[in-house]
Amino acid sequence: MSEERRLEVLRAIVEDYVTTREPVGSRMIADRHGLGVSSATIRNDMAVLEESGYITQPHTSAGRIPTDKGYRVFVDRLSRIKSLSSPEKRAIETFLSDAVDLDDVVTRAGRLLAQLTGQVAVVQYPSLRRSGLRHLELVPMGERRLLVVIITDTGRVEQRVLELAGTVDEVTLAELRVRLNVAAAGRRLADVTGALDVAVDALRPEDQDTARRVAALVVETLGEESEERIVLTGTANLAQAGMRFEHALRPVLEALEEQVVLLNLLTEMSADGQAGVAVRIGHETQLAGLQEASVVTSGYGAALGGPLGTGGAARDAVALVGSIGPTRMDYPGTIAAVRAVARYLSRILEA
């Protein structure tokens, strides 16, 4: 019983510290949380929690605040994620559905998440490597040049110019376009190579060289990682009183400017999400500038299953969306907002 009570005391400290941004004392817990024990008993529990490294005393005669270890236990033991209100859900759906293209979708998602959380939003562009091919267009640009337009199922449009060994007439080009689209449409990088090889082998020998060049270009483009990028929104929120960090703000801003490093962190987090959500707290980010920050992410894309507001793993998601704020953040609220935006992003991309 004492172990469960101590966890309740820890939960109370986290929730009160998030709300008040002030160290939490035993009397406040006894008065506000109805644990059914005296403040003296709560003080004893706090002493055990402090000795175990879950809370710390920032100043002599002050209350206690959670440590990274304490936040981790709190997050791991969340019994429920508070749901967004119906108006919030409708606002997300309406705002994102009005987007006109992928750039607009990504920008809107970032602005919306920053507004919902009051923190910094980060949205990763869909990865070409994890995207599927929706359509392939072949446009002649002279006798021996071909514009290859690759449209992915996540809305990305890539254009490449291909130099041909010889001329190709319109009839042959139309046949190549149809055959390659039938073979590769809806497939991701892991499957598209074999499908295109089969389609090329089935063509007339005189058409195979051109088709093989186009197929190689498609595979090369879908395999590119250099164009992956992220969009940060709501950086100005860092200056607000509610986003106050324990020490200097500058290291956080500098860490956010290093987008390659931030992208690497998102890539790492894509592997450790549970129920579609991953949380890195303070030192867990392994980035010096984010030691006082937490990052909450969720995958989005065609493979993200499950209805809005439920679990469901982000299986093979094409990219991540997330929120960055101080370790003293509203974890249930942030997780709910990130998950909701990720699921609506998935719906928009699938439409």
Side-chain angles (χ1 to χ4, degrees), residues 233-256:
T233 310
T235 308
N237 288 339
L238 292 172
Q240 297 179 2
M243 282 279 281
R244 188 181 67 215
F245 289 83
E246 298 302 326
H247 298 97
L249 177 60
R250 187 180 184 86
V252 180
L253 293 172
E254 291 176 346
L256 295 180

Side-chain angles (χ1 to χ4, degrees), residues 88-144:
E88 286 175 323
K89 293 178 182 178
R90 286 195 298 270
I92 293 174
E93 185 172 18
T94 300
F95 189 64
L96 292 182
S97 62
D98 287 341
V100 297
D101 55 26
L102 179 62
D103 288 332
D104 196 17
V105 168
V106 170
T107 300
R108 284 171 176 258
R111 287 166 52 195
L112 185 61
L113 185 56
Q115 183 177 0
L116 287 172
T117 62
Q119 299 171 163
V120 177
V122 54
V123 185
Q124 180 186 15
Y125 266 77
S127 166
L128 285 173
R129 186 179 293 273
R130 293 187 293 271
S131 298
L133 182 67
R134 175 176 292 174
H135 183 72
L136 181 65
E137 189 60 48
L138 306 177
V139 182
M141 298 180 62
E143 290 187 355
R144 297 192 177 188

Side-chain angles (χ1 to χ4, degrees), residues 273-290:
Q274 295 181 355
V277 175
V279 182
R280 292 281 182 97
I281 300 170
H283 291 79
E284 294 175 357
T285 65
Q286 298 183 5
L287 297 177
L290 296 183

Side-chain angles (χ1 to χ4, degrees), residues 73-93:
V73 171
F74 173 79
V75 169
D76 289 346
R77 292 181 62 88
L78 281 177
S79 59
R80 66 181 182 86
I81 303 300
K82 65 183 181 184
S83 299
L84 298 182
S85 66
S86 294
E88 286 175 323
K89 293 178 182 178
R90 286 195 298 270
I92 293 174
E93 185 172 18

Side-chain angles (χ1 to χ4, degrees), residues 21-334:
R21 301 193 297 277
E22 297 292 339
V24 181
S26 57
R27 184 174 297 278
M28 177 186 294
I29 296 174
D31 292 343
R32 296 183 58 178
H33 293 274
L35 299 184
V37 294
S38 66
S39 58
T41 299
I42 294 174
R43 278 196 299 274
N44 290 334
D45 290 336
M46 292 172 71
V48 174
L49 289 170
E50 185 172 9
E51 184 178 352
S52 300
Y54 296 114
I55 60 176
T56 187
Q57 187 176 29
H59 309 291
T60 305
S61 301
R64 306 300 194 275
I65 64 174
T67 62
D68 289 356
K69 184 178 178 181
Y71 283 123
R72 169 51 61 191
V73 171
F74 173 79
V75 169
D76 289 346
R77 292 181 62 88
L78 281 177
S79 59
R80 66 181 182 86
I81 303 300
K82 65 183 181 184
S83 299
L84 298 182
S85 66
S86 294
E88 286 175 323
K89 293 178 182 178
R90 286 195 298 270
I92 293 174
E93 185 172 18
T94 300
F95 189 64
L96 292 182
S97 62
D98 287 341
V100 297
D101 55 26
L102 179 62
D103 288 332
D104 196 17
V105 168
V106 170
T107 300
R108 284 171 176 258
R111 287 166 52 195
L112 185 61
L113 185 56
Q115 183 177 0
L116 287 172
T117 62
Q119 299 171 163
V120 177
V122 54
V123 185
Q124 180 186 15
Y125 266 77
S127 166
L128 285 173
R129 186 179 293 273
R130 293 187 293 271
S131 298
L133 182 67
R134 175 176 292 174
H135 183 72
L136 181 65
E137 189 60 48
L138 306 177
V139 182
M141 298 180 62
E143 290 187 355
R144 297 192 177 188
R145 300 185 77 200
L146 192 64
L147 177 65
V148 180
V149 183
I150 301 167
I151 305 174
T152 73
D153 58 9
T154 55
R156 288 189 66 163
V157 179
E158 301 293 325
Q159 300 183 22
R160 302 290 187 272
V161 176
L162 182 64
E163 299 290 340
L164 302 177
T167 60
V168 181
D169 60 69
E170 288 287 347
V171 175
T172 300
L173 198 60
E175 182 180 359
L176 291 181
R177 183 186 302 113
V178 171
R179 292 287 189 92
L180 295 179
N181 272 299
V182 169
R187 297 180 184 271
R188 295 192 178 185
L189 179 63
D191 304 317
V192 75
T193 303
L196 288 174
D197 286 343
V198 172
V200 170
D201 290 341
L203 293 171
R204 296 175 301 179
E206 58 268 30
D207 298 333
Q208 288 183 0
D209 180 67
T210 299
R212 191 167 285 110
R213 288 170 180 259
V214 173
L217 184 61
V218 171
V219 172
E220 179 185 349
T221 301
L222 291 179
E224 289 179 356
E225 291 291 347
S226 59
E227 294 190 23
E228 286 196 13
R229 55 195 176 100
I230 57 178
V231 172
L232 286 174
T233 310
T235 308
N237 288 339
L238 292 172
Q240 297 179 2
M243 282 279 281
R244 188 181 67 215
F245 289 83
E246 298 302 326
H247 298 97
L249 177 60
R250 187 180 184 86
V252 180
L253 293 172
E254 291 176 346
L256 295 180
E257 288 178 355
E258 295 291 336
Q259 294 208 0
V260 173
V261 176
L262 196 55
L263 184 57
N264 289 338
L265 173 62
L266 296 181
T267 301
E268 291 176 9
M269 293 183 68
S270 66
D272 58 25
Q274 295 181 355
V277 175
V279 182
R280 292 281 182 97
I281 300 170
H283 291 79
E284 294 175 357
T285 65
Q286 298 183 5
L287 297 177
L290 296 183
Q291 289 185 358
E292 293 183 1
S294 288
V295 184
V296 178
T297 64
S298 180
Y300 72 88
L304 188 63
L308 183 68
T310 66
R315 300 181 305 277
D316 200 20
V318 297
L320 294 178
V321 58
S323 185
I324 303 173
T327 53
R328 179 200 41 76
M329 69 162 57
D330 174 12
Y331 288 97
T334 300

